Amino acid sequence: FGVIPRLLSDGAHLRNSESLTAYEWLLRFYRYWAEPLPDRYSALRDNLPNAIELDPTNASIRAAYSLLAADAVRFFGDTSKSREEWLSCAVESARRAVESDSASAFTYQALATGLFHSKDLAGFGRASEQALKLCPNHANLLADLAVLKVCLGKWDEAASMADRAMDLNPHHPAWYHVVPSLHALSEGDLETAVRHADLQITPGLTL
């Protein structure tokens, strides 16, 4: 989410989608990840499979498609595929990403997310631990896993991870505030919960 990726992403955003390289589609994914708007989601859903064909050995592209497939279920309720088909895409794409680059925290993050929503909690635990082992100071990884930890009822661990993520990335995306909002609500601190909830609002995104 630094200046250079944002400038590159802005340039890719202005170009015709048919002329973009696989790397430029990855930049578009990072732009979407910073602010997951429905139109950005739809463009990536329709074009990331083609980007994979352009560069089939690119593990990050496969991981990005895996996370997008998980988002189809957890955020957008995309009915162009069934829930089972989307989650199968998420897990399979992530597994292939890990095979291509087992030293990437991003690929393991994608695998952890796909396995979590497929209800393979043991697999989720192993993949998330490996992701954190590879890159313990990755703000996005910490923030995203914090959301999943909340779903498991691990409130204190989730809150600690979310706070750490925001400390590491002061210019974080709005969705980083999801866990602090829920954690404050669980403790009866309505004022803090509302403040964080207002900060995490993303139009068109269901959380």
Side-chain angles (χ1 to χ4, degrees):
F1 303 123
V3 173
I4 294 175
R6 183 174 293 275
L7 288 173
L8 292 171
S9 177
D10 287 344
H13 183 71
L14 295 173
R15 289 178 51 199
N16 188 303
S17 61
E18 295 179 358
S19 67
L20 295 180
T21 65
Y23 177 67
E24 287 170 324
W25 276 114
L26 184 60
L27 290 174
R28 278 201 175 190
F29 173 81
Y30 291 145
R31 182 187 180 98
Y32 156 80
W33 217 12
E35 191 176 11
L37 301 175
D39 59 333
R40 294 178 182 177
Y41 163 80
S42 298
L44 288 163
R45 177 198 61 196
D46 296 340
N47 288 282
L48 275 185
N50 295 330
I52 291 173
E53 291 183 8
L54 290 173
D55 191 358
T57 63
N58 189 319
S60 293
I61 289 286
R62 291 190 183 276
Y65 184 62
S66 171
L67 288 165
L68 194 80
D71 285 358
V73 171
R74 60 178 176 169
F75 296 146
F76 294 105
D78 191 329
T79 58
S80 61
K81 297 182 189 290
S82 69
R83 176 186 177 88
E84 292 73 20
E85 287 173 325
W86 276 124
L87 292 178
S88 178
C89 284
V91 173
E92 177 60 24
S93 188
R95 289 196 190 281
R96 295 192 65 178
V98 168
E99 289 172 2
S100 294
D101 188 356
S102 60
S104 165
F106 186 43
T107 63
Y108 277 101
Q109 178 181 358
L111 181 58
T113 302
L115 292 173
F116 178 89
H117 291 286
S118 299
K119 300 183 180 180
D120 181 352
L121 298 185
F124 160 73
R126 290 190 296 271
S128 59
E129 286 176 11
Q130 183 62 18
L132 289 169
K133 179 180 177 181
L134 288 166
C135 198
N137 294 320
H138 190 312
N140 246 35
L141 171 62
L142 290 166
D144 205 20
L145 290 180
V147 175
L148 303 183
K149 296 284 186 179
V150 158
C151 295
L152 296 176
K154 298 182 178 181
W155 292 97
D156 291 340
E157 183 181 0
S160 177
M161 293 173 75
D163 288 344
R164 174 73 174 144
M166 287 192 281
D167 287 342
L168 287 166
N169 182 4
H171 302 289
H172 50 264
W175 60 265
Y176 276 35
H177 291 274
V178 170
V179 169
S181 178
L182 293 174
H183 186 247
L185 183 63
S186 75
E187 296 191 329
D189 184 351
L190 298 184
E191 182 179 349
T192 300
V194 169
R195 177 168 56 83
H196 281 290
D198 286 341
L199 290 170
Q200 65 87 16
I201 291 173
T202 301
L205 182 66
T206 303
L207 294 172

Short mmCIF file of all heavy atoms in Angstrom, two decimals, residues 19 36 44 60 64 66 69 72 74 106 110 121 127 137 150 159 165 186-190:
data_model
loop_
_atom_site.label_atom_id
_atom_site.label_comp_id
_atom_site.label_asym_id
_atom_site.label_seq_id
_atom_site.Cartn_x
_atom_site.Cartn_y
_atom_site.Cartn_z
N SER A 19 -5.11 -5.33 -22.50
CA SER A 19 -3.68 -5.12 -22.77
C SER A 19 -2.81 -5.29 -21.53
O SER A 19 -1.60 -5.15 -21.60
CB SER A 19 -3.46 -3.72 -23.35
OG SER A 19 -3.75 -2.72 -22.37
N PRO A 36 -11.90 -3.12 -1.19
CA PRO A 36 -12.59 -4.17 -1.95
C PRO A 36 -13.98 -3.76 -2.43
O PRO A 36 -15.01 -4.17 -1.89
CB PRO A 36 -12.66 -5.33 -0.95
CG PRO A 36 -12.62 -4.68 0.39
CD PRO A 36 -11.78 -3.44 0.24
N LEU A 44 -11.75 -8.34 -11.55
CA LEU A 44 -10.74 -9.35 -11.24
C LEU A 44 -11.30 -10.76 -11.42
O LEU A 44 -10.61 -11.64 -11.92
CB LEU A 44 -10.25 -9.16 -9.80
CG LEU A 44 -9.36 -7.94 -9.59
CD1 LEU A 44 -9.26 -7.61 -8.10
CD2 LEU A 44 -7.96 -8.18 -10.16
N SER A 60 2.00 -15.66 -6.99
CA SER A 60 1.22 -14.57 -6.41
C SER A 60 -0.11 -14.37 -7.14
O SER A 60 -1.13 -14.06 -6.51
CB SER A 60 2.02 -13.26 -6.43
OG SER A 60 3.11 -13.35 -5.55
N ALA A 64 -3.67 -14.65 -5.40
CA ALA A 64 -4.65 -13.57 -5.52
C ALA A 64 -6.00 -14.12 -5.97
O ALA A 64 -7.05 -13.73 -5.42
CB ALA A 64 -4.15 -12.51 -6.50
N SER A 66 -7.08 -17.14 -5.54
CA SER A 66 -7.60 -17.92 -4.42
C SER A 66 -8.33 -17.02 -3.42
O SER A 66 -9.45 -17.33 -2.99
CB SER A 66 -6.45 -18.65 -3.71
OG SER A 66 -6.89 -19.24 -2.50
N ALA A 69 -11.58 -15.82 -4.85
CA ALA A 69 -12.61 -16.86 -4.82
C ALA A 69 -13.21 -16.99 -3.43
O ALA A 69 -14.42 -17.19 -3.28
CB ALA A 69 -12.01 -18.20 -5.27
N ALA A 72 -15.60 -14.20 -2.92
CA ALA A 72 -16.87 -14.43 -3.62
C ALA A 72 -17.91 -15.00 -2.68
O ALA A 72 -19.10 -14.68 -2.77
CB ALA A 72 -16.65 -15.39 -4.79
N ARG A 74 -17.39 -15.10 1.05
CA ARG A 74 -17.48 -14.46 2.37
C ARG A 74 -17.98 -13.02 2.32
O ARG A 74 -18.50 -12.51 3.31
CB ARG A 74 -16.15 -14.53 3.10
CG ARG A 74 -14.96 -13.86 2.43
CD ARG A 74 -13.72 -13.97 3.31
NE ARG A 74 -12.52 -13.43 2.67
CZ ARG A 74 -11.38 -13.22 3.32
NH1 ARG A 74 -11.30 -13.51 4.61
NH2 ARG A 74 -10.33 -12.75 2.69
N PHE A 106 2.31 -15.05 1.37
CA PHE A 106 1.08 -14.73 0.65
C PHE A 106 0.38 -16.00 0.19
O PHE A 106 -0.85 -16.12 0.28
CB PHE A 106 1.42 -13.82 -0.53
CG PHE A 106 0.24 -13.28 -1.28
CD1 PHE A 106 -0.88 -12.81 -0.63
CD2 PHE A 106 0.27 -13.22 -2.67
CE1 PHE A 106 -1.96 -12.29 -1.33
CE2 PHE A 106 -0.80 -12.71 -3.39
CZ PHE A 106 -1.92 -12.25 -2.72
N ALA A 110 -3.34 -17.36 1.50
CA ALA A 110 -4.45 -17.75 0.63
C ALA A 110 -4.94 -19.15 0.97
O ALA A 110 -6.15 -19.40 1.04
CB ALA A 110 -4.01 -17.68 -0.84
N LEU A 121 -10.38 -26.73 9.75
CA LEU A 121 -9.73 -25.88 10.73
C LEU A 121 -8.32 -26.35 11.07
O LEU A 121 -7.45 -25.53 11.39
CB LEU A 121 -10.59 -25.78 11.99
CG LEU A 121 -11.97 -25.14 11.80
CD1 LEU A 121 -12.67 -24.99 13.13
CD2 LEU A 121 -11.86 -23.80 11.09
N ALA A 127 -1.60 -23.85 7.94
CA ALA A 127 -1.26 -22.88 6.90
C ALA A 127 -1.04 -21.49 7.49
O ALA A 127 -0.11 -20.77 7.09
CB ALA A 127 -2.36 -22.83 5.84
N ASN A 137 5.73 -10.04 10.38
CA ASN A 137 5.42 -8.60 10.43
C ASN A 137 4.67 -8.12 9.19
O ASN A 137 4.73 -6.95 8.82
CB ASN A 137 6.71 -7.79 10.60
CG ASN A 137 7.36 -8.05 11.93
OD1 ASN A 137 6.69 -8.15 12.95
ND2 ASN A 137 8.68 -8.17 11.95
N VAL A 150 -11.37 -14.11 15.06
CA VAL A 150 -12.60 -13.66 15.71
C VAL A 150 -13.72 -14.66 15.47
O VAL A 150 -14.50 -14.98 16.38
CB VAL A 150 -13.01 -12.26 15.19
CG1 VAL A 150 -14.49 -12.00 15.41
CG2 VAL A 150 -12.20 -11.18 15.88
N ALA A 159 -7.61 -9.46 18.57
CA ALA A 159 -7.44 -8.03 18.84
C ALA A 159 -5.97 -7.65 18.84
O ALA A 159 -5.58 -6.59 18.31
CB ALA A 159 -8.09 -7.67 20.18
N ALA A 165 -1.20 -5.09 13.37
CA ALA A 165 -1.29 -4.78 11.94
C ALA A 165 -1.40 -3.28 11.72
O ALA A 165 -0.73 -2.71 10.85
CB ALA A 165 -2.49 -5.50 11.33
N SER A 186 -17.81 -6.79 21.94
CA SER A 186 -17.85 -7.96 22.82
C SER A 186 -17.58 -7.59 24.27
O SER A 186 -18.01 -8.30 25.19
CB SER A 186 -16.83 -9.02 22.35
OG SER A 186 -15.51 -8.64 22.67
N GLU A 187 -16.86 -6.49 24.48
CA GLU A 187 -16.55 -6.05 25.83
C GLU A 187 -17.51 -5.00 26.34
O GLU A 187 -17.32 -4.45 27.42
CB GLU A 187 -15.11 -5.52 25.87
CG GLU A 187 -14.06 -6.61 25.57
CD GLU A 187 -12.66 -6.14 25.88
OE1 GLU A 187 -12.38 -4.93 25.74
OE2 GLU A 187 -11.84 -7.00 26.27
N GLY A 188 -18.53 -4.69 25.55
CA GLY A 188 -19.53 -3.72 25.97
C GLY A 188 -19.12 -2.28 25.82
O GLY A 188 -19.79 -1.38 26.34
N ASP A 189 -18.02 -2.04 25.11
CA ASP A 189 -17.55 -0.67 24.89
C ASP A 189 -18.16 -0.16 23.59
O ASP A 189 -17.55 -0.18 22.52
CB ASP A 189 -16.02 -0.66 24.82
CG ASP A 189 -15.44 0.74 24.70
OD1 ASP A 189 -16.22 1.69 24.51
OD2 ASP A 189 -14.20 0.88 24.77
N LEU A 190 -19.39 0.31 23.67
CA LEU A 190 -20.14 0.67 22.46
C LEU A 190 -19.55 1.88 21.76
O LEU A 190 -19.58 1.96 20.53
CB LEU A 190 -21.61 0.93 22.83
CG LEU A 190 -22.38 -0.26 23.41
CD1 LEU A 190 -23.84 0.11 23.63
CD2 LEU A 190 -22.27 -1.48 22.50
#
